[in-house]
Amino acid sequence: MGLDDALIFTRVVECHSFTQAATSLGMQKSTVSRRIALLEERLAVRLLNRTTRKLRLTEVGQAYYERCRQIMLDFAEAEQAVMQLQREPSGLLRITSPIEFGQLFLGRVLGEFMRQYPQIDAEVELTSRLVDPLEEGVDIAIQVGQPQDSTLIARKLFESGRRLCASPAYLAAHGTPRSVAELEGHRAILLQHDAPRYWPLLGEHLPCQRVMTCNNITFAREATLAGAGISGLPVMISEDAVRSGRLLELLPEARLPVGEVYAIYPSRRFQAMKVKTFLDFLITSLPITRGGLLEPGAAGLLTSPA
């Protein structure tokens, strides 16, 4: 009520008329007159001296008007600033991402985005933990798998396929499996979310000789390159090594789980322009196939050029 009354009072003063102020506000003249009277009664002062011909501010009314006018100007500037943010991406963009995705891809895409939109500042955390955007004040949380909280919005970015890989040194020492069944006698490097004693194969329940479990796919790739065993690595982390011959893909007919990568954010309603524009930019920059899988031939684009 106080801010509304201040607006009505300011408009009356600037229009020099109750009638014109009521018209500009879309109100009845009697309503405007009553609201001013109630405002004076609440403040216990007279703000306006009024006759049938003119309005004149009292000394107190002049001081009150100057403060109200500044409040109205500040309010208009605040609205303009919000609308400007919705017209052009600007401000601080807070993002969390899995470590490997951030290192291989997000940094380059975000850098290009910021070059195109120089009013954007960014704060990025690369982490293996799941982040709740609402609790931590994050604009976009990129993660593998959909969130448990149904109030969050999950926008699917792509699917990351996995394949069995081993180094030439490992295969020279232990032999090359020619069928899925032959995997049973081989050393396995597993990711933390894999079943602890079985190869990560869809439709199979094949025991493995586990030699290592880790929670980081880059670590798993490096251990595989060193010859510690066979691992089911995501395409995006293994493609460059496969193309260079440092890793060999095994049993391409074997089916491994596909990881779905999502952008998680609080709400679509009144979504900030910086969030909407970056999500669209990110998706159009992803090297994916029509089926949504990371393009094997393009995965090498995720690594820095020599």
Side-chain angles (χ1 to χ4, degrees):
M1 181 69 76
L3 185 59
D4 288 345
D5 289 343
L7 171 62
I8 293 171
F9 171 72
T10 303
R11 191 62 57 86
V12 168
V13 173
E14 293 175 347
C15 290
H16 307 286
S17 165
F18 278 83
T19 301
Q20 291 181 26
T23 300
S24 68
L25 292 168
M27 301 171 69
Q28 295 292 325
K29 178 184 175 182
S30 60
T31 302
V32 171
S33 181
R34 185 174 67 256
R35 293 287 289 273
I36 295 297
L38 290 172
L39 175 62
E40 289 179 323
E41 183 179 336
R42 182 166 59 84
L43 296 176
V45 296
R46 176 172 288 277
L47 300 172
L48 292 165
N49 287 318
R50 32 204 183 280
T51 68
T52 55
R53 292 191 174 184
K54 65 170 59 177
L55 298 174
R56 180 169 304 199
L57 285 166
T58 65
E59 183 179 354
V60 173
Q62 180 66 42
Y64 186 68
Y65 166 70
E66 290 174 1
R67 296 296 297 271
C68 288
R69 182 174 180 275
Q70 186 58 53
I71 290 170
M72 295 305 121
L73 289 173
D74 291 344
F75 183 72
E77 287 181 5
E79 284 195 331
Q80 184 64 31
V82 169
M83 289 187 289
Q84 181 64 32
L85 285 173
Q86 290 299 85
R87 285 195 292 268
E88 182 176 342
S90 60
L92 178 63
L93 185 62
R94 297 191 66 206
I95 304 172
T96 63
S97 165
I99 296 169
E100 293 80 6
F101 182 79
Q103 291 174 328
L104 295 176
F105 188 70
L106 181 61
R108 188 177 305 174
V109 173
L110 181 58
E112 175 62 23
F113 180 75
M114 295 176 68
R115 185 184 67 80
Q116 293 189 26
Y117 299 100
Q119 299 304 313
I120 288 286
D121 296 325
E123 187 176 296
V124 182
E125 179 186 356
L126 303 185
T127 177
S128 57
R129 67 187 179 89
L130 295 180
V131 174
D132 185 322
L134 281 173
E135 286 189 2
E136 302 194 31
V138 172
D139 294 306
I140 304 169
I142 299 171
Q143 68 179 47
V144 179
Q146 295 194 51
Q148 299 298 315
D149 188 345
S150 60
T151 64
L152 297 172
I153 305 300
R155 185 171 178 181
K156 187 174 178 179
L157 298 179
F158 65 93
E159 295 177 349
S160 177
R162 292 172 67 184
R163 57 187 171 191
L164 294 171
C165 296
S167 70
Y170 173 85
L171 297 176
H174 299 275
T176 301
R178 303 298 178 185
S179 68
V180 170
E182 290 185 13
L183 284 172
E184 190 168 353
H186 282 272
R187 296 161 61 88
I189 299 171
L190 301 177
L191 299 179
Q192 194 171 50
H193 54 266
D194 292 332
R197 297 193 227 1
Y198 297 92
W199 288 101
L201 302 171
L202 294 174
E204 301 281 350
H205 202 62
L206 188 68
C208 68
Q209 182 187 345
R210 183 187 62 181
V211 295
M212 183 185 297
T213 301
C214 63
N215 68 344
N216 182 278
I217 56 176
T218 302
F219 187 94
R221 182 193 63 187
E222 295 304 298
T224 307
L225 282 165
I230 298 173
S231 60
L233 295 173
V235 170
M236 82 169 182
I237 200 74
S238 60
E239 176 64 16
D240 189 58
V242 170
R243 289 194 299 115
S244 67
R246 291 178 296 138
L247 286 179
L248 298 176
E249 181 178 2
L250 306 175
L251 305 172
E253 71 276 13
R255 296 187 304 123
L256 279 74
V258 171
E260 296 181 331
V261 179
Y262 290 86
I264 313 298
Y265 48 98
S267 175
R268 282 196 183 97
R269 191 165 185 260
F270 302 131
Q271 188 180 70
M273 182 58 66
K274 62 183 179 181
V275 174
K276 179 182 184 304
T277 306
F278 179 69
L279 283 174
D280 292 341
F281 187 88
L282 175 62
I283 288 173
T284 57
S285 302
L286 289 169
I288 56 176
T289 65
R290 291 181 182 176
L293 287 166
L294 192 71
E295 176 73 64
L301 299 175
L302 303 180
T303 57
S304 299

